[in-house]
Amino acid sequence: MGLDSAELGRGLFRVLETGDRELAAEVVHEDFRNREAAVSPTACSIPGPAGVLASGAWMRSAFSDLCFNVIAIAHERDHVWVRLRMQGRHTGPFVRFANGALDQAIPPTGHKIDFEQIHVLGLSDGKVISHEAVRDDVTMLGQLEVFPPKPARLLRMIGWRLSGRATCAASQVSTAAAEAAAQR
């Protein structure tokens, strides 16, 4: 017997937290597409469970103790809406991409993050087939002291960019995401 829509929603975020391959195969459709993958390493755009596993590896590389605390779930026919709080500690570089290239690298701050998100999941054949999100990224960037920029944080980010550390971090994060996708 398959999982109900609430279990599928919770399961997807459990995969992101843990990298659980068996659970990914159980909840993620082979044709899964993540609309939000544009700011992620390229491997996060791979269809199916591999892309979800890559996305989880990318987020866990930046945030230790990553946790998605579900606040509410609503569902209707072939869609599930999941309201949650993303929480963790920023202990690795948080690297964002644009068109597959480095866009922003935030050096580890050690700060905790805790902010709300709403995710819309499409369902097909008893699995999650699509994902899009509304996230409070401004709150997260504020918690990391990036927005509004604290002078010390801004100088560190510029130093990372000029020294090549941001490019190195982007390469390492991309490699980790690709390895997570390939180990499927």
Side-chain angles (χ1 to χ4, degrees), residues 6-165:
E7 291 169 323
L8 289 169
R10 289 181 197 285
L12 180 71
F13 292 99
R14 187 77 182 133
V15 170
L16 294 172
E17 290 173 343
T18 66
D20 184 327
R21 295 180 184 298
E22 289 179 20
L23 183 58
E26 188 176 355
V27 302
V28 180
H29 196 283
E30 285 298 318
D31 294 329
F32 175 87
R33 300 280 186 207
N34 180 8
R35 182 172 175 235
E36 309 306 317
V39 298
S40 311
T42 305
C44 300
S45 296
I46 296 171
V52 175
L53 292 166
S55 294
W58 167 60
M59 288 187 281
R60 290 189 312 275
S61 74
F63 302 105
S64 59
D65 304 322
L66 181 66
C67 162
F68 294 97
N69 287 315
V70 174
I71 298 167
I73 295 179
H75 52 91
E76 184 176 296
R77 292 186 300 275
D78 59 352
H79 284 88
V80 177
W81 292 263
V82 181
R83 181 174 166 222
L84 55 79
R85 296 194 74 80
M86 180 177 166
Q87 299 169 319
R89 182 172 300 278
H90 182 218
T91 55
F94 181 47
V95 182
R96 294 172 47 107
F97 298 81
N99 300 318
L102 171 64
D103 181 43
Q104 179 183 47
I106 303 169
T109 63
H111 293 296
K112 288 184 178 181
I113 59 161
D114 183 355
F115 65 103
E116 284 199 30
Q117 305 175 342
I118 296 173
H119 298 265
V120 181
L121 309 177
L123 304 179
S124 180
D125 302 324
K127 294 187 178 189
V128 179
I129 194 165
S130 64
H131 167 262
E132 56 187 295
V134 178
R135 298 181 310 264
D136 185 2
D137 289 348
V138 171
T139 293
M140 179 191 66
L141 293 173
Q143 293 169 350
L144 299 179
E145 299 180 341
V146 175
F147 185 82
K150 299 262 182 173
R153 185 76 53 228
L154 187 59
L155 287 173
R156 188 161 182 226
M157 288 174 61
I158 290 169
W160 262 50
R161 181 72 78 154
L162 293 175
S163 71
R165 291 186 73 189

